[in-house]
């Protein structure tokens, strides 16, 4: 099962804020963060519920 990051940057499960978007950059408040080099896809481990959350365009 894939847990997709919510549009507002929050975890879909526990609602912890994971991603903060600005016009210039995005900050992920998670560890680890996995950035796929060939796709527009980022996986991060939610610090709240410890689930892997997927962010893709
Ligand atoms: Zn969470």
């Amino acid at each position: 099962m894939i847990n997709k990051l919510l549009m507002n940057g929050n975890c879909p499960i526990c609602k912890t804020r994971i991603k903060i978007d600005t016009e210039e950059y995005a900050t992920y408040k998670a560890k680890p963060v996995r950035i796929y080099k060939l796709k527009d896809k980022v996986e991060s481990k939610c610090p709240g519920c410890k689930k892997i959350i997927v962010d893709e365009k």
Side-chain angles (χ1 to χ4, degrees), residues 43-55:
E43 286 177 357
S44 53
K45 189 175 186 182
C46 175
C49 64
K50 312 293 184 197
K51 295 275 198 287
I52 300 298
I53 309 301
V54 178
D55 182 24

Side-chain angles (χ1 to χ4, degrees), residues 4 19 21 26 28 34-43 54-57:
K4 279 201 84 174
K19 183 185 182 186
D21 240 336
Y28 288 85
R34 177 179 292 162
I35 299 166
Y36 285 78
K37 295 177 181 177
L38 303 180
K39 299 185 236 181
D40 200 352
K41 178 178 171 181
V42 175
E43 286 177 357
V54 178
D55 182 24
E56 56 187 337
K57 298 273 159 23

Side-chain angles (χ1 to χ4, degrees), residues 4-13 15 19 53-55:
K4 279 201 84 174
L5 188 72
L6 299 179
M7 287 296 285
N8 62 6
N10 289 1
C11 172
I13 299 160
K15 313 299 183 200
K19 183 185 182 186
I53 309 301
V54 178
D55 182 24

Side-chain angles (χ1 to χ4, degrees), residues 22-35:
T22 73
E23 281 183 24
E24 273 188 282
Y25 54 81
T27 301
Y28 288 85
K29 298 180 70 172
K31 195 171 74 175
V33 173
R34 177 179 292 162
I35 299 166

